Structures are given as C-alpha cells and as structure tokens.
Amino acid sequence: MLKTEISSIKLKTPLILASGILGTAGTSLKRIVTMGGAGAIVTKSLGISPRSGHKSPTIVKEEKGGLISAIGLANPGYENFKDEIEIAKQGGAPVIGSVYGFSFREYIEVAQGLEDYGVAAVELNLSYPNVGKTGAFYGKHKELSFEVVKAVKESVGIPVIAKLTANVSDIVTVAKSCEDAGCDAITAITALEAMKINVDTGRPVLGNKVGGLSGPCIKPIAVRCVYEIAKEVDVPVIGCGGATTGEDAVEFMMAGASAVQIGTGILTRGITIFKKVSKEMEEILKRGGYKNVGEIIGIAH
Amino acid sequence: MRVTRIKEIRKETERIKTYILEEKVDAIPGQFVMVWIPDVDEKPLSLSYHKGNMGITVLAQGPFTNKLAELRVGDKVGIRGPFGRGFKIVGDSLLLVGGGVGVPPLAALADEAIQNGKKVTAIVGAITKSELLFVDRLENIGVRVLTCTDDGTCGTKGFTTDVLRDILKKEKFDQCYTCGPEIMMLKVLYEAKKKGIPTQISMERYIKCGIGICGHCIVDGTGQRVCKEGPVFRDVDVEKISEFGKYHRDASGTKIYFRNRK
Ligand SMILES: Cc1cc2nc3c(=O)[nH]c(=O)nc-3n(C[C@H](O)[C@H](O)[C@H](O)COP(=O)(O)OP(=O)(O)OC[C@H]3O[C@@H](n4cnc5c(N)ncnc54)[C@H](O)[C@@H]3O)c2cc1C
Ligand SMILES: Cc1cc2nc3c(=O)[nH]c(=O)nc-3n(C[C@H](O)[C@H](O)[C@H](O)COP(=O)(O)O)c2cc1C
Ligand code: FES
C-alpha cells in the first residue's frame, strides 16, 4: 500500500531519513532501516574534507515544538565515508548521499565520489542555514542553484535531488531553475534560519549564534512550500520539515509530495518513528478508501 | 537550557575541581549533563553528585575545562540534562574500578549503593598520589578503597587492572562497574568476565546534541548512541560494539585509534 518510487529509486514506504539526523555512521543508517523502518536514508551532508563544525551548544530545544541546531556541517569528508556507505547499504534500503560544497568543483567531486561508492542518488544541500555565506549561498540564488545542479547532473549518472531553503523570497522560482537544470527531484525544505537568546545571561545560546529551526513548528511552512512547488514543477517533490505523525506525512503528500523526509521527529518518537508513521498512514489511507499511497499525491490541488 | 550559579568550588587535585551548582537534581548515577559557559562552549560532564545540589568534577585539560577552572563561586553556567542511561545497582557486593577522571560517576554510584545498604569496594587509580580522586570521600561513606598509582607513591605500584586481578583471585562480587580510559575498561571487562562477574561500563564518545538526534556519538557494531542508549552499557552490549577499545570519532566524525597505554 505504501510502495512508491522517486525517479528510479524504489521505496517500500515513502518515509525517508532526513540528512544530518543520526547520519554520521553507517551502522546508524543501517539501524534506522532495519530497526526504524525507513524507506530510504540520506547521509549527513558530506564535503571534500573533514570538518569539525561549530562550537557547542549545537542544539537548543525551542519549547514550542522544535529544535534550533547549528552543527555546522561537521562531517568526516566523503572519502572517509566509503565504508560507512557500504555498511548503510546492508540495511537493504536505498542510500542517498547528501553533498555540500564551497564551489561547483567541490560539489562535483563529492557527488562523483559518492556515486562510485554506490549511493542510489545524491541530494544537493544547497542551503544549509548556518555555515556563513557559503552554505546558504547557492540555494538563495536561482542562477547559482541552476549552475550547481547542471554541473552535477552532467557529471554523474545517478538521480540528482536538489534540497531547497524556504529562506528566499520565492522558493518556486528556485525550484523551477533546478528543474530546468535537470534535477530529478526536489526536497523542500531544509531548516529555517533561527536564533535563541538565553534571558538569564543575555547571550545567544548556539555556539554559532544562528542555526536552523526544525520540527513540528515549521511543518505548516513546509507544507505550503511543497504545495506551491508541486503546482509549478513536474519532477517529484520530497516533503521535509516537521513531519512526526501519519497525518503529517499524508498532509505533505496531499500537498503534492511523492515522499516525506523525517528528522527531528525522532526526538519525540524514537528511531522507530518510520514504522509508526507508516502504520498510521495506512490507517488514514484505509479510512479514505485508497488502495495505494500514490492516489493521494497532490489531491489538495 | 537552564542557567544556574556555581555554589561552591572544591579543589580535589592539582588539576581537578568539583563544582557544586545551585540547581538541584534527582538523577541516576552515571548520567551526564551538558554544561554551557556562555560564549565559550558546551561539554558533557558526568554528575559526581546526583542528588540535591548537582555536582560535577572536572579535569582541566583543554579550552573549555580550563575556562571552567577560571570561574568563581556565583558565576553562571547553563545546564541541559541529565541525559543518558546510568548505572543499575545489581546484587549486594559491588566492585568499582575507576581510573583518573573516570571516578566521578562511580563516586555518585557509591553514594547511592551505600545508601541502599550495599557492600562497596572501589579500586581507584591515578598516575601519582596527588592525582588520586575521591579516596577520602569514598572512605568516609564506608567504601573499602584500594588505591594504585603508576609511580607507586600511594597504594599498589601499577594499574587498576593489576589490583583487580589480585582481588578477583581472593574475593567474589555480584557486579563490577568501570569508568576511565577505554583500554583500562577493556581489560576490566576481560578480567571480570573470566570470573563470571557482569560488568557495567561508562563510555565516552564525542557528544554534540546530547539528546540522540545528531548522531555524533554513535558506536559501530550496534549503531547505538552513547548519549541516549549509553553512556553506561552492559558487558553484553559492549561486546557487540565493534569499535570498543579500538577507536572513537572526533568532532568531524573521523576515526581516531586509541593508543595502547595501559
Ligand atoms: C558522558 C561523558 C562524561 C564525561 N564526564 C567527565 C567528568 O566527569 N569529568 C571530566 O573531567 N571530564 C568528563 N568528560 C570529558 C569531557 O567532556 C572533556 O574533558 C571535555 O569535553 C574537554 O573539553 P576541552 O575543551 O577542555 O578540551 P579539548 O582539548 O577540546 O578535549 C580534550 C579531550 O576531551 C575530549 N572531548 C572534547 N570535547 C568533547 C565532547 N564534546 N564530547 C566528548 N569528549 C570531548 C576530546 O576528544 C579530548 O580527548 C566526559 C565525557 C563524556 C562523553
Ligand atoms: C541536527 C540536525 C542536523 C542537520 N544536518 C543537515 C545536513 O547535514 N544536511 C542537510 O541537508 N540538512 C540537515 N538538517 C536539516 C534536516 O535534514 C531537515 O531538512 C530539517 O531538520 C527539517 O526536517 P525535520 O523537521 O523533519 O527535522 C539537519 C537538521 C538537524 C536537526
Ligand atoms: S550526541 Fe548527538 S546523538 Fe548523541
């Protein structure tokens, strides 16, 4: 009932682990599939060389249903991730490699490397909200997004997914540029730029001062973005941002998503959230008289 | 993030201080808190006092812990937690093996165990006499303490594992608990297992979020999170952690291999 497909990637359930959540080691990614029940997994965003990320605090809980995080793209570099991908694949679900770069050339090198290591697709992190100018740079300009996607698309044979930020005046034009550049799918959205100040000290809490807001509090924004993008582009859209329950996932799909990523939801529902949400989705689909999850994609339009 | 003030500072050894905070807790021995010094950093530290006013006992060894050592009574620090799984008291006769700055969570465990009427023996090791931690504190509550130092300035000359091997020849314990350098813990696990004594091990890995979401503290073999499923693991779990005693990951996630010191 939940079987679906994105580009050439086959999924047992449309629920995918979002990048950067428990994605720094192969054993963890494997466990999210075998124990957690994810349909696919996205690795931590990988760059050309190891990066320690920002100083802590890297995470602060926003009481109103979310997290603000500023890990700062900490990662061991793509070459150190070869074995991790090998282990992650043992879980039996597609492994999607998340790629970031500080130049077109870096994006290409990492994407090609990950293709060699056997990932099913690459997701381009065009928009990480808290790494100075560089991370957020590409995804904020439709021309640059176009160029990055095009450059990577011309360099690899596997599907290329563009992950977008909603911290732009018009996310739809960026999505369209990525489609024009040849991307195979679009993930929307990444964490929103945010900040937390501790009132007892008057100091910003995060080591990086600003971070990315994720979790239930951003879901309505993410659903709106998916709805608007799906209306204007033909490639599949992957919804991301605050999905925590079956109802959330169904809502994303009705807005036009072909699959849904889950990250912060793990905090409240544990790594078996994928199993739980799949079950809840099936119940909602049955209640609505649907035979297959594909039937609900975009019905809100 | 809650902000509290330092209530009291005690100098334990040349480089180790205990900080008693104004905030009160009711935690499980072995659990840790994330301690934030505004504008500096935030790091994981075990509770050395887990009931009433919380306490941490810290070795000054780098940018954060050195900064902590400069703070005074009344200064503010942020706290998240307590987090993670702590020690579980099993049986009546407990053996604690602590090396260096691994002693703080074991001291909290000793408090709890003695209160529950258990018999507690602790092997405490350090490089030299002046670096031995909590020997008086443990003795004062009725723990039998066996000390050892690398240089022989106090107790047995040698490692905690030497003392352990000796005592296991003569005595029986229901459960063993260890915290300290990983190579030491590996040997403790081995010695206790030979005698059929179950062991609980407190592991350290690079902690960032502390709440089980970022994945930086994951261990290979099981994919478990040290901040969530740990830091205390049972021997049966540790045996499945393929990286135990071999390597850990740094802030970037790159593997760092342990040097075989002890
Ligand atoms: C669960 C847990 C409990 C701990 N309990 C205590 C304790 O009771 N007393 C005590 O003195 N120390 C304890 N530590 C170690 C303490 O976190 C480090 O000493 C501290 O982070 C060092 O920071 P620094 O900036 O002073 O030194 P650095 O020079 O940055 O690091 C010194 C050492 O600490 C390690 N370290 C640095 N940052 C972290 C981090 N975020 N997470 C884990 N390790 C890190 C490094 O790998 C290095 O080996 C504990 C660690 C963990 C994981
Ligand atoms: C701790 C943490 C780390 C993250 N790291 C990355 C990352 O490396 N690359 C990326 O593209 N997104 C990263 N994200 C963003 C998530 O993939 C996701 O887009 C966002 O959290 C919204 O989804 P959620 O509400 O389901 O978590 C991270 C989010 C969190 C909370
Ligand atoms: S430190 Fe983030 S998962 Fe453990």
Side-chain angles (χ1 to χ4, degrees):
Chain A
M1 182 175 226
L2 294 182
K3 263 197 213 128
T4 178
E5 217 169 288
I6 293 215
S7 189
S8 59
I9 313 159
K10 291 192 169 49
L11 305 172
K12 283 192 192 126
T13 164
L15 304 176
I16 303 172
L17 173 73
S19 177
I21 288 92
L22 300 178
T24 37
T27 33
S28 168
L29 292 166
K30 181 177 155 189
R31 188 168 177 243
I32 302 259
V33 176
T34 53
M35 190 174 147
I41 45 190
V42 186
T43 67
K44 175 77 198 164
S45 291
L46 299 161
I48 54 159
S49 51
R51 200 183 141 87
S52 299
H54 296 313
K55 276 197 179 164
S56 288
T58 51
I59 292 234
V60 55
K61 251 192 216 169
E62 192 25 75
E63 306 72 26
K64 290 132 200 122
L67 278 184
I68 310 176
S69 58
I71 302 281
L73 291 174
N75 81 100
Y78 79 95
E79 285 163 310
N80 279 325
F81 220 71
K82 184 175 183 212
D83 299 345
E84 311 291 351
I85 288 168
E86 211 45 61
I87 297 166
K89 279 178 11 191
Q90 293 165 8
V95 177
I96 298 166
S98 174
V99 178
Y100 79 86
F102 293 135
S103 67
F104 293 169
R105 206 188 298 156
E106 289 186 9
Y107 271 102
I108 293 170
E109 179 183 332
V110 178
Q112 285 179 333
L114 294 178
E115 180 178 33
D116 287 346
Y117 302 158
V119 297
V122 284
E123 181 180 83
L124 306 183
N125 180 351
L126 297 173
S127 50
Y128 207 53
N130 59 58
V131 181
K133 195 175 148 197
T134 32
F137 202 56
Y138 297 97
K140 284 200 172 170
H141 301 267
K142 65 178 200 301
E143 297 81 10
L144 288 173
S145 301
F146 178 90
E147 295 297 337
V148 178
V149 172
K150 187 159 171 280
V152 174
K153 189 63 196 167
E154 282 167 1
S155 321
V156 298
I158 48 176
V160 175
I161 305 166
K163 184 172 181 184
L164 306 186
T165 173
N167 284 120
V168 288
S169 53
D170 182 12
I171 194 170
V172 178
T173 50
V174 181
K176 272 182 164 157
S177 305
C178 292
E179 183 179 45
D180 292 343
C183 78
D184 299 278
I186 285 165
T187 300
I189 56 176
T190 193
L192 293 164
E193 289 164 32
M195 187 171 189
K196 172 83 180 173
I197 293 164
N198 175 272
V199 296
D200 295 318
T201 55
R203 304 309 306 152
V205 175
L206 293 169
N208 188 54
K209 298 190 174 67
V210 298
L213 180 65
S214 62
C217 57
I218 71 167
K219 197 199 70 183
I221 298 170
V223 170
R224 185 269 300 172
C225 290
V226 168
Y227 183 84
E228 291 187 344
I229 294 168
K231 200 159 67 182
E232 298 295 331
V233 305
D234 293 325
V235 294
V237 180
I238 302 169
C240 179
T244 314
T245 63
E247 194 174 318
D248 296 339
V250 167
E251 196 182 342
F252 268 111
M253 295 189 73
M254 288 181 166
S258 301
V260 180
Q261 294 187 356
I262 295 178
T264 308
I266 290 177
L267 196 63
T268 45
R269 303 193 75 191
I271 69 166
T272 54
I273 185 170
F274 301 93
K275 277 187 185 157
K276 294 172 188 157
V277 172
S278 291
K279 199 158 160 267
E280 290 160 7
M281 286 179 82
E282 281 176 351
E283 278 159 19
I284 296 170
L285 293 177
K286 271 185 215 145
R287 208 165 69 208
Y290 301 103
K291 300 235 153 26
N292 186 282
V293 71
E295 293 167 38
I296 64 165
I297 298 174
I299 64 166
H301 288 269
Chain B
M1 182 74 71
R2 288 119 41 206
V3 169
T4 184
R5 285 175 195 273
I6 299 174
K7 188 167 178 277
E8 190 187 331
I9 299 176
R10 297 176 199 148
K11 190 168 175 181
E12 307 285 0
T13 76
E14 202 46 54
R15 288 164 66 209
I16 300 176
K17 282 183 190 170
T18 291
Y19 307 82
I20 304 292
L21 307 179
E22 277 176 2
E23 186 175 311
K24 297 210 161 65
V25 270
D26 184 3
I28 300 162
Q31 284 190 306
F32 69 95
V33 288
M34 296 299 291
V35 178
W36 175 49
I37 306 177
D39 298 322
V40 179
D41 215 324
E42 181 196 41
K43 295 289 182 187
L45 295 161
S46 301
L47 289 171
S48 55
Y49 293 89
H50 69 291
K51 286 245 156 75
N53 289 96
M54 63 165 79
I56 48 173
T57 300
V58 188
L59 170 72
Q61 61 166 328
F64 174 85
T65 47
N66 285 330
K67 189 76 203 174
L68 189 63
E70 288 170 17
L71 298 187
R72 305 215 190 113
V73 170
D75 283 347
K76 291 173 182 170
V77 292
I79 296 288
R80 292 193 294 133
F83 295 130
R85 286 195 194 153
F87 294 110
K88 209 173 155 206
I89 296 175
V90 184
D92 292 312
S93 173
L94 318 182
L95 178 61
L96 281 41
V97 186
V101 83
V103 183
L106 295 174
L109 172 67
D111 277 345
E112 181 98 7
I114 293 284
Q115 281 219 328
N116 288 317
K118 310 291 179 188
K119 211 177 122 203
V120 183
T121 302
I123 303 173
V124 176
I127 301 167
T128 186
K129 184 178 178 186
S130 59
E131 290 296 314
L132 280 170
L133 190 58
F134 287 149
V135 175
D136 292 345
R137 170 181 171 187
L138 291 168
E139 281 178 345
N140 287 343
I141 58 168
V143 174
R144 175 173 58 146
V145 183
L146 306 170
T147 57
C148 62
T149 45
D150 293 8
D151 62 2
T153 45
C154 182
T156 308
K157 182 176 192 309
F159 302 135
T160 50
T161 41
D162 300 327
V163 182
L164 175 70
R165 212 174 296 119
D166 272 356
I167 195 167
L168 289 182
K169 277 182 199 145
K170 296 173 273 184
E171 293 178 41
K172 182 96 187 86
F173 298 90
D174 295 326
Q175 192 93 183
C176 176
Y177 301 84
T178 184
C179 184
E182 196 149 311
I183 302 297
M184 177 201 92
M185 296 199 289
L186 183 72
K187 292 185 178 167
V188 170
L189 186 67
Y190 172 78
E191 296 295 339
K193 197 182 166 156
K194 270 203 306 202
K195 298 285 176 184
I197 304 170
T199 302
Q200 294 177 33
I201 291 136
S202 177
M203 279 182 77
E204 266 186 31
R205 284 296 179 269
Y206 205 98
I207 308 278
K208 290 200 170 181
C209 73
I211 53 177
I213 197 84
C214 74
H216 272 272
C217 64
I218 277 167
V219 285
D220 280 346
T222 60
Q224 286 167 308
R225 297 157 289 185
V226 168
C227 72
K228 191 90 185 169
E229 282 91 13
V232 176
F233 292 96
R234 292 176 310 158
D235 45 8
V236 285
D237 293 322
V238 170
E239 279 161 12
K240 290 184 220 138
I241 297 175
S242 55
E243 68 175 60
F244 182 71
K246 296 195 183 81
Y247 60 85
H248 61 109
R249 287 181 168 86
D250 69 8
S252 77
T254 307
K255 290 175 191 173
I256 309 285
Y257 287 82
F258 289 114
R259 280 167 297 147
N260 198 339
R261 202 181 74 86
K262 285 195 182 180

